[in-house]
Short mmCIF file of all heavy atoms in Angstrom, two decimals:
data_model
loop_
_atom_site.label_atom_id
_atom_site.label_comp_id
_atom_site.label_asym_id
_atom_site.label_seq_id
_atom_site.Cartn_x
_atom_site.Cartn_y
_atom_site.Cartn_z
N ALA C 26 11.93 0.96 -21.80
CA ALA C 26 12.58 0.01 -22.59
C ALA C 26 14.00 -0.14 -22.11
O ALA C 26 14.54 -1.18 -22.25
CB ALA C 26 12.49 0.53 -24.05
N ALA C 27 14.67 0.85 -21.65
CA ALA C 27 16.03 0.76 -21.18
C ALA C 27 16.14 -0.12 -20.04
O ALA C 27 16.98 -0.91 -19.91
CB ALA C 27 16.63 2.28 -20.79
N PHE C 28 15.22 -0.06 -19.08
CA PHE C 28 15.14 -0.92 -17.97
C PHE C 28 15.05 -2.39 -18.44
O PHE C 28 15.73 -3.30 -18.01
CB PHE C 28 14.01 -0.64 -17.09
CG PHE C 28 13.80 -1.57 -15.92
CD1 PHE C 28 14.46 -1.45 -14.74
CD2 PHE C 28 12.81 -2.72 -16.02
CE1 PHE C 28 14.28 -2.37 -13.68
CE2 PHE C 28 12.69 -3.57 -15.01
CZ PHE C 28 13.52 -3.33 -13.82
N LEU C 29 14.11 -2.64 -19.44
CA LEU C 29 13.93 -4.02 -19.96
C LEU C 29 15.13 -4.48 -20.76
O LEU C 29 15.58 -5.54 -20.67
CB LEU C 29 12.72 -3.96 -20.88
CG LEU C 29 11.28 -3.68 -20.16
CD1 LEU C 29 10.25 -3.66 -21.16
CD2 LEU C 29 11.06 -4.70 -19.01
N ASP C 30 15.87 -3.47 -21.39
CA ASP C 30 17.10 -3.85 -22.12
C ASP C 30 18.26 -4.38 -21.06
O ASP C 30 18.73 -5.45 -21.36
CB ASP C 30 17.77 -2.67 -22.84
CG ASP C 30 16.94 -2.20 -24.05
OD1 ASP C 30 16.26 -3.16 -24.71
OD2 ASP C 30 16.99 -1.07 -24.43
N ARG C 31 18.20 -3.75 -19.85
CA ARG C 31 19.16 -4.22 -18.95
C ARG C 31 18.76 -5.68 -18.43
O ARG C 31 19.55 -6.50 -18.10
CB ARG C 31 19.27 -3.22 -17.83
CG ARG C 31 19.92 -1.94 -18.20
CD ARG C 31 20.37 -1.05 -17.08
NE ARG C 31 19.17 -0.47 -16.35
CZ ARG C 31 18.44 0.50 -16.71
NH1 ARG C 31 18.83 1.22 -17.83
NH2 ARG C 31 17.33 0.89 -15.93
N ALA C 32 17.48 -5.80 -18.25
CA ALA C 32 16.95 -7.13 -17.75
C ALA C 32 17.33 -8.22 -18.74
O ALA C 32 17.73 -9.38 -18.39
CB ALA C 32 15.54 -7.12 -17.39
N VAL C 33 17.12 -7.90 -20.03
CA VAL C 33 17.48 -8.91 -21.07
C VAL C 33 18.94 -9.13 -21.12
O VAL C 33 19.35 -10.23 -21.14
CB VAL C 33 16.96 -8.37 -22.48
CG1 VAL C 33 17.49 -9.14 -23.59
CG2 VAL C 33 15.48 -8.31 -22.55
N ALA C 34 19.70 -8.12 -21.05
CA ALA C 34 21.16 -8.31 -21.02
C ALA C 34 21.73 -9.15 -19.83
O ALA C 34 22.70 -9.85 -19.97
CB ALA C 34 21.89 -6.95 -21.01
N ALA C 35 20.97 -9.05 -18.66
CA ALA C 35 21.37 -9.77 -17.46
C ALA C 35 20.86 -11.18 -17.53
O ALA C 35 21.05 -12.00 -16.58
CB ALA C 35 20.87 -9.05 -16.26
N GLY C 36 20.02 -11.53 -18.54
CA GLY C 36 19.48 -12.73 -18.72
C GLY C 36 18.34 -13.02 -17.82
O GLY C 36 17.91 -14.25 -17.73
N ARG C 37 17.66 -12.10 -17.23
CA ARG C 37 16.44 -12.20 -16.47
C ARG C 37 15.19 -12.25 -17.26
O ARG C 37 14.12 -12.67 -16.79
CB ARG C 37 16.41 -11.16 -15.43
CG ARG C 37 17.56 -11.25 -14.39
CD ARG C 37 17.32 -10.35 -13.20
NE ARG C 37 17.09 -8.92 -13.55
CZ ARG C 37 18.09 -8.11 -13.70
NH1 ARG C 37 19.41 -8.50 -13.52
NH2 ARG C 37 17.99 -6.83 -14.05
N MET C 38 15.23 -11.72 -18.45
CA MET C 38 13.99 -11.71 -19.29
C MET C 38 14.35 -12.03 -20.70
O MET C 38 15.54 -11.78 -21.25
CB MET C 38 13.40 -10.25 -19.14
CG MET C 38 12.96 -9.95 -17.82
SD MET C 38 11.99 -8.44 -17.71
CE MET C 38 10.45 -9.15 -17.87
N SER C 39 13.44 -12.49 -21.39
CA SER C 39 13.66 -12.69 -22.92
C SER C 39 12.50 -12.00 -23.59
O SER C 39 11.35 -12.23 -23.65
CB SER C 39 13.37 -14.25 -23.06
OG SER C 39 13.37 -14.56 -24.48
N ILE C 40 13.02 -10.85 -24.20
CA ILE C 40 12.06 -9.82 -24.86
C ILE C 40 12.68 -9.50 -26.26
O ILE C 40 13.65 -8.91 -26.26
CB ILE C 40 11.80 -8.59 -23.93
CG1 ILE C 40 11.30 -8.95 -22.61
CG2 ILE C 40 10.88 -7.71 -24.64
CD1 ILE C 40 11.37 -7.78 -21.62
N PRO C 41 11.97 -9.88 -27.29
CA PRO C 41 12.57 -9.58 -28.54
C PRO C 41 12.39 -8.08 -28.94
O PRO C 41 13.31 -7.67 -29.68
CB PRO C 41 11.72 -10.43 -29.62
CG PRO C 41 10.47 -10.80 -28.85
CD PRO C 41 10.80 -10.78 -27.35
N ASP C 42 11.51 -7.45 -28.42
CA ASP C 42 11.27 -5.94 -28.87
C ASP C 42 10.94 -5.22 -27.44
O ASP C 42 9.83 -5.17 -27.04
CB ASP C 42 10.18 -5.77 -29.75
CG ASP C 42 10.01 -4.31 -30.28
OD1 ASP C 42 10.46 -3.39 -29.54
OD2 ASP C 42 9.37 -4.18 -31.37
N THR C 43 12.05 -4.64 -26.83
CA THR C 43 11.76 -4.06 -25.51
C THR C 43 10.91 -2.73 -25.63
O THR C 43 10.21 -2.37 -24.71
CB THR C 43 12.98 -3.76 -24.82
OG1 THR C 43 13.97 -2.96 -25.65
CG2 THR C 43 13.80 -5.02 -24.42
N SER C 44 10.89 -2.03 -26.75
CA SER C 44 10.13 -0.81 -26.88
C SER C 44 8.69 -1.24 -26.95
O SER C 44 7.87 -0.67 -26.16
CB SER C 44 10.50 0.01 -28.14
OG SER C 44 11.81 0.45 -28.06
N LEU C 45 8.36 -2.25 -27.64
CA LEU C 45 6.98 -2.74 -27.73
C LEU C 45 6.56 -3.31 -26.35
O LEU C 45 5.43 -2.96 -25.87
CB LEU C 45 6.79 -3.79 -28.74
CG LEU C 45 5.49 -4.46 -28.79
CD1 LEU C 45 4.33 -3.40 -29.16
CD2 LEU C 45 5.46 -5.55 -29.94
N ALA C 46 7.38 -4.06 -25.68
CA ALA C 46 7.08 -4.54 -24.41
C ALA C 46 6.80 -3.49 -23.37
O ALA C 46 5.94 -3.61 -22.55
CB ALA C 46 8.25 -5.51 -23.85
N ALA C 47 7.61 -2.38 -23.33
CA ALA C 47 7.40 -1.24 -22.43
C ALA C 47 5.93 -0.60 -22.75
O ALA C 47 5.26 -0.32 -21.76
CB ALA C 47 8.45 -0.22 -22.63
N GLU C 48 5.51 -0.59 -23.93
CA GLU C 48 4.36 -0.06 -24.42
C GLU C 48 3.19 -0.96 -23.88
O GLU C 48 2.06 -0.55 -23.29
CB GLU C 48 4.07 0.25 -25.78
CG GLU C 48 4.93 1.31 -26.30
CD GLU C 48 4.32 2.65 -25.78
OE1 GLU C 48 3.16 2.78 -25.58
OE2 GLU C 48 5.23 3.64 -25.71
N GLN C 49 3.41 -2.25 -23.98
CA GLN C 49 2.49 -3.28 -23.54
C GLN C 49 2.29 -3.21 -22.08
O GLN C 49 1.16 -3.23 -21.54
CB GLN C 49 2.92 -4.71 -23.91
CG GLN C 49 2.86 -4.97 -25.45
CD GLN C 49 3.55 -6.08 -25.81
OE1 GLN C 49 4.39 -6.72 -25.24
NE2 GLN C 49 2.96 -6.83 -26.91
N PHE C 50 3.32 -3.06 -21.21
CA PHE C 50 3.27 -3.01 -19.84
C PHE C 50 2.52 -1.82 -19.33
O PHE C 50 1.67 -1.83 -18.61
CB PHE C 50 4.68 -2.99 -19.21
CG PHE C 50 4.58 -2.93 -17.69
CD1 PHE C 50 4.18 -4.04 -17.01
CD2 PHE C 50 5.05 -1.81 -17.01
CE1 PHE C 50 3.99 -3.96 -15.67
CE2 PHE C 50 4.89 -1.73 -15.61
CZ PHE C 50 4.40 -2.75 -15.00
N SER C 51 2.74 -0.64 -20.04
CA SER C 51 2.07 0.58 -19.80
C SER C 51 0.51 0.42 -20.09
O SER C 51 -0.33 0.80 -19.24
CB SER C 51 2.56 1.76 -20.69
OG SER C 51 1.85 2.92 -20.51
N GLY C 52 0.21 -0.27 -21.12
CA GLY C 52 -1.24 -0.41 -21.47
C GLY C 52 -1.89 -1.36 -20.40
O GLY C 52 -3.00 -1.11 -19.96
N LEU C 53 -1.11 -2.47 -19.90
CA LEU C 53 -1.70 -3.32 -18.87
C LEU C 53 -1.99 -2.58 -17.60
O LEU C 53 -3.01 -2.74 -16.95
CB LEU C 53 -0.74 -4.39 -18.58
CG LEU C 53 -0.70 -5.53 -19.66
CD1 LEU C 53 0.67 -6.37 -19.32
CD2 LEU C 53 -1.94 -6.36 -19.81
N CYS C 54 -1.09 -1.52 -17.25
CA CYS C 54 -1.30 -0.79 -16.11
C CYS C 54 -2.44 0.17 -16.09
O CYS C 54 -3.02 0.51 -15.24
CB CYS C 54 -0.03 0.01 -15.70
SG CYS C 54 1.20 -1.05 -15.09
N LEU C 55 -2.74 0.60 -17.43
CA LEU C 55 -3.80 1.53 -17.52
C LEU C 55 -5.29 0.94 -17.83
O LEU C 55 -6.29 1.60 -17.74
CB LEU C 55 -3.54 2.56 -18.75
CG LEU C 55 -2.28 3.41 -18.59
CD1 LEU C 55 -1.98 4.11 -19.82
CD2 LEU C 55 -2.62 4.33 -17.42
N ALA C 56 -5.23 -0.33 -18.08
CA ALA C 56 -6.41 -1.05 -18.56
C ALA C 56 -7.61 -0.96 -17.66
O ALA C 56 -8.79 -0.64 -18.07
CB ALA C 56 -6.03 -2.51 -18.78
N GLY C 57 -7.44 -1.11 -16.30
CA GLY C 57 -8.57 -1.09 -15.44
C GLY C 57 -8.70 0.19 -14.64
O GLY C 57 -9.68 0.36 -13.88
N THR C 58 -7.78 1.15 -14.92
CA THR C 58 -7.83 2.42 -14.11
C THR C 58 -8.11 3.62 -14.91
O THR C 58 -9.17 4.17 -14.93
CB THR C 58 -6.56 2.51 -13.28
OG1 THR C 58 -5.45 2.47 -14.17
CG2 THR C 58 -6.39 1.41 -12.23
N SER C 59 -7.04 4.12 -15.64
CA SER C 59 -7.19 5.21 -16.50
C SER C 59 -7.98 5.25 -17.75
O SER C 59 -8.75 6.16 -18.05
CB SER C 59 -5.79 5.78 -16.73
OG SER C 59 -5.05 6.04 -15.61
N ARG C 60 -7.83 4.13 -18.42
CA ARG C 60 -8.54 4.00 -19.73
C ARG C 60 -10.08 4.15 -19.66
O ARG C 60 -10.65 4.93 -20.39
CB ARG C 60 -8.20 2.68 -20.51
CG ARG C 60 -8.52 2.75 -21.90
CD ARG C 60 -7.88 1.67 -22.74
NE ARG C 60 -6.49 1.88 -22.85
CZ ARG C 60 -5.56 0.95 -22.63
NH1 ARG C 60 -5.88 -0.19 -22.31
NH2 ARG C 60 -4.28 1.33 -22.81
N PRO C 61 -10.77 3.42 -18.65
CA PRO C 61 -12.17 3.58 -18.51
C PRO C 61 -12.57 5.13 -18.26
O PRO C 61 -13.59 5.57 -18.77
CB PRO C 61 -12.40 2.72 -17.38
CG PRO C 61 -11.39 1.72 -17.32
CD PRO C 61 -10.15 2.42 -17.70
N LEU C 62 -11.77 5.85 -17.51
CA LEU C 62 -12.02 7.14 -17.26
C LEU C 62 -11.91 8.02 -18.56
O LEU C 62 -12.68 8.89 -18.88
CB LEU C 62 -11.15 7.77 -16.26
CG LEU C 62 -11.40 7.30 -14.76
CD1 LEU C 62 -10.27 7.73 -13.78
CD2 LEU C 62 -12.65 7.91 -14.27
N LEU C 63 -10.86 7.72 -19.28
CA LEU C 63 -10.55 8.43 -20.53
C LEU C 63 -11.71 8.29 -21.57
O LEU C 63 -12.05 9.22 -22.16
CB LEU C 63 -9.28 7.90 -21.16
CG LEU C 63 -8.91 8.46 -22.55
CD1 LEU C 63 -8.51 10.02 -22.35
CD2 LEU C 63 -7.61 7.74 -23.18
N PHE C 64 -12.32 7.10 -21.63
CA PHE C 64 -13.37 6.81 -22.58
C PHE C 64 -14.66 6.94 -22.01
O PHE C 64 -15.71 6.44 -22.60
CB PHE C 64 -13.06 5.41 -23.24
CG PHE C 64 -11.90 5.45 -24.17
CD1 PHE C 64 -10.77 4.67 -23.84
CD2 PHE C 64 -11.86 6.24 -25.26
CE1 PHE C 64 -9.58 4.67 -24.48
CE2 PHE C 64 -10.60 6.21 -26.15
CZ PHE C 64 -9.57 5.39 -25.70
N SER C 65 -14.86 7.42 -20.88
CA SER C 65 -16.10 7.76 -20.16
C SER C 65 -16.97 6.60 -19.84
O SER C 65 -18.17 6.87 -19.87
CB SER C 65 -16.73 8.92 -20.99
OG SER C 65 -15.96 10.02 -20.97
N TYR C 66 -16.43 5.40 -19.73
CA TYR C 66 -17.35 4.36 -19.39
C TYR C 66 -17.15 4.05 -17.79
O TYR C 66 -17.72 3.11 -17.27
CB TYR C 66 -17.25 3.18 -20.24
CG TYR C 66 -15.93 2.48 -20.38
CD1 TYR C 66 -15.60 1.40 -19.53
CD2 TYR C 66 -15.16 2.81 -21.43
CE1 TYR C 66 -14.33 0.81 -19.73
CE2 TYR C 66 -13.83 2.14 -21.49
CZ TYR C 66 -13.45 1.16 -20.76
OH TYR C 66 -12.32 0.51 -20.92
N ARG C 67 -16.44 4.92 -17.08
CA ARG C 67 -16.32 4.89 -15.79
C ARG C 67 -16.26 6.32 -15.22
O ARG C 67 -15.73 7.22 -15.82
CB ARG C 67 -15.04 4.21 -15.33
CG ARG C 67 -14.82 4.25 -13.78
CD ARG C 67 -13.51 3.49 -13.51
NE ARG C 67 -13.42 3.55 -12.02
CZ ARG C 67 -12.78 2.69 -11.29
NH1 ARG C 67 -12.28 1.61 -11.91
NH2 ARG C 67 -12.72 2.85 -9.99
N THR C 68 -17.07 6.60 -14.20
CA THR C 68 -17.17 7.99 -13.83
C THR C 68 -16.50 8.33 -12.38
O THR C 68 -16.52 9.42 -11.95
CB THR C 68 -18.70 8.40 -13.63
OG1 THR C 68 -19.39 7.49 -12.70
CG2 THR C 68 -19.31 8.32 -14.99
N THR C 69 -15.98 7.26 -11.76
CA THR C 69 -15.27 7.49 -10.47
C THR C 69 -13.80 7.03 -10.57
O THR C 69 -13.52 6.18 -11.28
CB THR C 69 -15.96 6.67 -9.36
OG1 THR C 69 -15.90 5.30 -9.76
CG2 THR C 69 -17.39 7.07 -9.13
N TYR C 70 -13.00 7.74 -9.96
CA TYR C 70 -11.59 7.48 -9.95
C TYR C 70 -11.34 6.18 -9.13
O TYR C 70 -11.95 6.02 -7.97
CB TYR C 70 -10.72 8.67 -9.36
CG TYR C 70 -10.74 9.77 -10.20
CD1 TYR C 70 -11.61 10.79 -10.08
CD2 TYR C 70 -9.80 9.85 -11.34
CE1 TYR C 70 -11.62 12.01 -10.99
CE2 TYR C 70 -9.80 10.87 -12.22
CZ TYR C 70 -10.72 11.96 -12.01
OH TYR C 70 -10.65 13.00 -12.91
N PRO C 71 -10.48 5.38 -9.48
CA PRO C 71 -10.01 4.17 -8.74
C PRO C 71 -9.33 4.59 -7.40
O PRO C 71 -8.54 5.67 -7.45
CB PRO C 71 -9.06 3.44 -9.55
CG PRO C 71 -8.51 4.41 -10.49
CD PRO C 71 -9.64 5.48 -10.68
N ASP C 72 -9.51 3.90 -6.35
CA ASP C 72 -8.76 4.24 -5.03
C ASP C 72 -7.44 3.45 -5.17
O ASP C 72 -7.06 2.82 -6.10
CB ASP C 72 -9.57 3.76 -3.90
CG ASP C 72 -9.81 2.26 -3.84
OD1 ASP C 72 -9.14 1.52 -4.51
OD2 ASP C 72 -10.76 1.85 -3.16
N GLU C 73 -6.67 3.75 -4.16
CA GLU C 73 -5.21 3.28 -4.12
C GLU C 73 -5.20 1.71 -4.14
O GLU C 73 -4.28 1.16 -4.82
CB GLU C 73 -4.41 3.70 -3.01
CG GLU C 73 -4.08 5.17 -3.10
CD GLU C 73 -3.18 5.65 -1.86
OE1 GLU C 73 -2.40 4.90 -1.36
OE2 GLU C 73 -3.28 6.88 -1.60
N ALA C 74 -6.09 1.10 -3.45
CA ALA C 74 -6.10 -0.39 -3.51
C ALA C 74 -6.45 -0.99 -4.85
O ALA C 74 -5.90 -1.92 -5.32
CB ALA C 74 -7.21 -0.89 -2.40
N GLU C 75 -7.24 -0.37 -5.60
CA GLU C 75 -7.74 -0.80 -6.93
C GLU C 75 -6.46 -0.58 -7.90
O GLU C 75 -6.24 -1.41 -8.80
CB GLU C 75 -8.91 -0.03 -7.49
CG GLU C 75 -9.39 -0.58 -8.76
CD GLU C 75 -10.77 0.05 -9.17
OE1 GLU C 75 -11.34 0.83 -8.45
OE2 GLU C 75 -11.17 -0.20 -10.34
N ILE C 76 -5.86 0.57 -7.81
CA ILE C 76 -4.72 0.80 -8.61
C ILE C 76 -3.61 -0.18 -8.29
O ILE C 76 -3.00 -0.78 -9.28
CB ILE C 76 -4.18 2.26 -8.31
CG1 ILE C 76 -5.10 3.36 -8.84
CG2 ILE C 76 -2.79 2.41 -9.03
CD1 ILE C 76 -4.87 4.70 -8.43
N ALA C 77 -3.34 -0.48 -7.03
CA ALA C 77 -2.31 -1.42 -6.70
C ALA C 77 -2.65 -2.82 -7.18
O ALA C 77 -1.81 -3.52 -7.80
CB ALA C 77 -2.06 -1.49 -5.18
N ALA C 78 -3.97 -3.28 -7.14
CA ALA C 78 -4.36 -4.47 -7.58
C ALA C 78 -4.14 -4.63 -9.17
O ALA C 78 -3.65 -5.65 -9.69
CB ALA C 78 -5.77 -4.78 -7.25
N THR C 79 -4.43 -3.52 -9.85
CA THR C 79 -4.38 -3.48 -11.17
C THR C 79 -2.84 -3.63 -11.69
O THR C 79 -2.47 -4.37 -12.56
CB THR C 79 -4.87 -2.13 -11.89
OG1 THR C 79 -6.33 -2.13 -11.58
CG2 THR C 79 -4.66 -2.10 -13.43
N VAL C 80 -2.00 -2.89 -10.99
CA VAL C 80 -0.50 -2.92 -11.28
C VAL C 80 0.03 -4.35 -10.97
O VAL C 80 0.80 -4.86 -11.66
CB VAL C 80 0.21 -1.81 -10.46
CG1 VAL C 80 1.66 -1.93 -10.72
CG2 VAL C 80 -0.20 -0.52 -11.01
N ARG C 81 -0.42 -4.87 -9.83
CA ARG C 81 0.10 -6.23 -9.55
C ARG C 81 -0.33 -7.23 -10.56
O ARG C 81 0.50 -8.11 -10.98
CB ARG C 81 -0.55 -6.75 -8.13
CG ARG C 81 0.33 -6.40 -6.96
CD ARG C 81 -0.13 -7.19 -5.78
NE ARG C 81 -1.54 -6.97 -5.44
CZ ARG C 81 -2.19 -5.97 -4.83
NH1 ARG C 81 -1.37 -4.99 -4.31
NH2 ARG C 81 -3.38 -5.87 -4.60
N SER C 82 -1.53 -7.12 -11.00
CA SER C 82 -1.96 -8.01 -12.11
C SER C 82 -1.14 -7.79 -13.37
O SER C 82 -0.80 -8.75 -14.13
CB SER C 82 -3.53 -7.82 -12.41
OG SER C 82 -3.96 -8.60 -13.39
N ALA C 83 -0.83 -6.51 -13.74
CA ALA C 83 -0.14 -6.26 -14.98
C ALA C 83 1.35 -6.82 -14.82
O ALA C 83 1.78 -7.43 -15.77
CB ALA C 83 0.00 -4.74 -15.17
N VAL C 84 2.00 -6.78 -13.62
CA VAL C 84 3.29 -7.20 -13.41
C VAL C 84 3.16 -8.78 -13.60
O VAL C 84 4.05 -9.39 -14.25
CB VAL C 84 3.85 -6.86 -12.08
CG1 VAL C 84 5.09 -7.63 -11.81
CG2 VAL C 84 4.16 -5.26 -12.01
N HIS C 85 2.27 -9.36 -12.96
CA HIS C 85 2.16 -10.87 -12.99
C HIS C 85 1.91 -11.23 -14.43
O HIS C 85 2.64 -12.23 -14.89
CB HIS C 85 0.92 -11.27 -12.26
CG HIS C 85 0.66 -12.80 -12.24
ND1 HIS C 85 1.36 -13.66 -11.52
CD2 HIS C 85 -0.26 -13.49 -12.92
CE1 HIS C 85 0.98 -14.91 -11.78
NE2 HIS C 85 -0.03 -14.78 -12.63
N MET C 86 1.11 -10.66 -15.23
CA MET C 86 0.94 -11.04 -16.65
C MET C 86 2.15 -10.88 -17.56
O MET C 86 2.59 -11.56 -18.26
CB MET C 86 -0.31 -10.32 -17.17
CG MET C 86 -0.68 -10.74 -18.57
SD MET C 86 -2.04 -9.88 -19.30
CE MET C 86 -3.41 -10.48 -18.29
N PHE C 87 2.78 -9.68 -17.32
CA PHE C 87 3.98 -9.39 -18.03
C PHE C 87 5.12 -10.35 -17.71
O PHE C 87 5.79 -10.80 -18.63
CB PHE C 87 4.37 -7.91 -17.67
CG PHE C 87 5.50 -7.33 -18.48
CD1 PHE C 87 5.16 -6.74 -19.64
CD2 PHE C 87 6.82 -7.34 -18.10
CE1 PHE C 87 6.06 -6.13 -20.49
CE2 PHE C 87 7.76 -6.74 -18.90
CZ PHE C 87 7.42 -6.25 -20.10
N MET C 88 5.24 -10.63 -16.49
CA MET C 88 6.35 -11.61 -16.06
C MET C 88 6.09 -13.01 -16.62
O MET C 88 7.09 -13.74 -16.99
CB MET C 88 6.55 -11.58 -14.59
CG MET C 88 7.04 -10.18 -14.04
SD MET C 88 8.57 -9.62 -14.85
CE MET C 88 9.77 -10.87 -14.11
N LYS C 89 4.82 -13.40 -16.66
CA LYS C 89 4.42 -14.73 -17.12
C LYS C 89 4.82 -14.85 -18.64
O LYS C 89 5.14 -15.80 -19.07
CB LYS C 89 2.96 -15.00 -17.01
CG LYS C 89 2.57 -15.29 -15.49
CD LYS C 89 2.87 -16.70 -15.14
CE LYS C 89 1.64 -17.40 -15.00
NZ LYS C 89 1.95 -18.84 -14.57
N SER C 90 4.88 -13.74 -19.33
CA SER C 90 5.05 -13.60 -20.78
C SER C 90 6.63 -13.62 -21.08
O SER C 90 7.04 -14.18 -21.97
CB SER C 90 4.35 -12.47 -21.41
OG SER C 90 2.96 -12.66 -21.28
N TYR C 91 7.24 -12.77 -20.29
CA TYR C 91 8.66 -12.35 -20.62
C TYR C 91 9.86 -12.83 -19.80
O TYR C 91 10.95 -12.73 -20.02
CB TYR C 91 8.84 -10.94 -20.80
CG TYR C 91 8.15 -10.33 -21.99
CD1 TYR C 91 7.10 -9.34 -21.94
CD2 TYR C 91 8.29 -10.78 -23.27
CE1 TYR C 91 6.40 -8.81 -22.96
CE2 TYR C 91 7.59 -10.35 -24.29
CZ TYR C 91 6.63 -9.32 -24.17
OH TYR C 91 6.11 -8.82 -25.36
N ALA C 92 9.52 -13.20 -18.50
CA ALA C 92 10.56 -13.66 -17.59
C ALA C 92 11.13 -14.94 -18.01
O ALA C 92 10.46 -15.80 -18.53
CB ALA C 92 9.99 -13.76 -16.14
N VAL C 93 12.51 -14.98 -17.86
CA VAL C 93 13.23 -16.26 -18.16
C VAL C 93 12.89 -17.29 -16.94
O VAL C 93 13.05 -16.94 -15.78
CB VAL C 93 14.64 -16.02 -18.16
CG1 VAL C 93 15.48 -17.37 -18.38
CG2 VAL C 93 14.91 -15.16 -19.43
N LYS C 94 12.55 -18.45 -17.25
CA LYS C 94 12.28 -19.38 -16.30
C LYS C 94 13.47 -20.11 -15.79
O LYS C 94 14.43 -20.51 -16.66
CB LYS C 94 11.25 -20.54 -16.85
CG LYS C 94 10.06 -20.10 -17.61
CD LYS C 94 9.09 -19.40 -16.80
CE LYS C 94 7.87 -18.99 -17.47
NZ LYS C 94 7.83 -17.81 -18.19
N ALA C 95 13.58 -20.36 -14.51
CA ALA C 95 14.75 -21.07 -14.01
C ALA C 95 14.65 -22.56 -14.30
O ALA C 95 13.57 -23.09 -14.30
CB ALA C 95 14.91 -20.83 -12.47
N VAL C 96 15.78 -23.07 -14.67
CA VAL C 96 15.83 -24.44 -15.08
C VAL C 96 16.34 -25.37 -13.93
O VAL C 96 17.19 -24.89 -13.21
CB VAL C 96 16.58 -24.71 -16.31
CG1 VAL C 96 16.63 -26.17 -16.64
CG2 VAL C 96 15.95 -23.89 -17.40
#
């Protein structure tokens, strides 16, 4: 949240609740990797490429929602 607070203060992001947004980002990163293991609907660990792809997707989705668009 502190990182996001700085991005908002610098005008790079528009986030009304940075604590919630930090939780949302964390959830996006865990969605395709850790959560399936936690709830036992996946039995193998993701490899580094799968983890990287999941995080890239999370960053993309998060930035589409919260990044300030250049005018």
Side-chain angles (χ1 to χ4, degrees):
F28 175 84
L29 297 175
D30 286 335
R31 289 189 298 276
V33 169
R37 292 189 306 271
M38 301 188 88
S39 176
I40 304 173
D42 184 340
T43 56
S44 294
L45 175 60
E48 290 291 330
Q49 290 170 331
F50 181 69
S51 175
L53 288 169
C54 289
L55 296 174
T58 55
S59 299
R60 193 167 292 130
L62 288 167
L63 179 66
F64 293 110
S65 301
Y66 58 91
R67 179 180 179 148
T68 58
T69 59
Y70 288 97
D72 61 22
E73 287 187 33
E75 188 177 354
I76 292 169
T79 298
V80 173
R81 267 193 309 278
S82 177
V84 169
H85 178 77
M86 183 179 292
F87 190 83
M88 294 304 287
K89 289 282 251 180
S90 295
Y91 290 122
V93 172
K94 311 293 186 277
V96 178

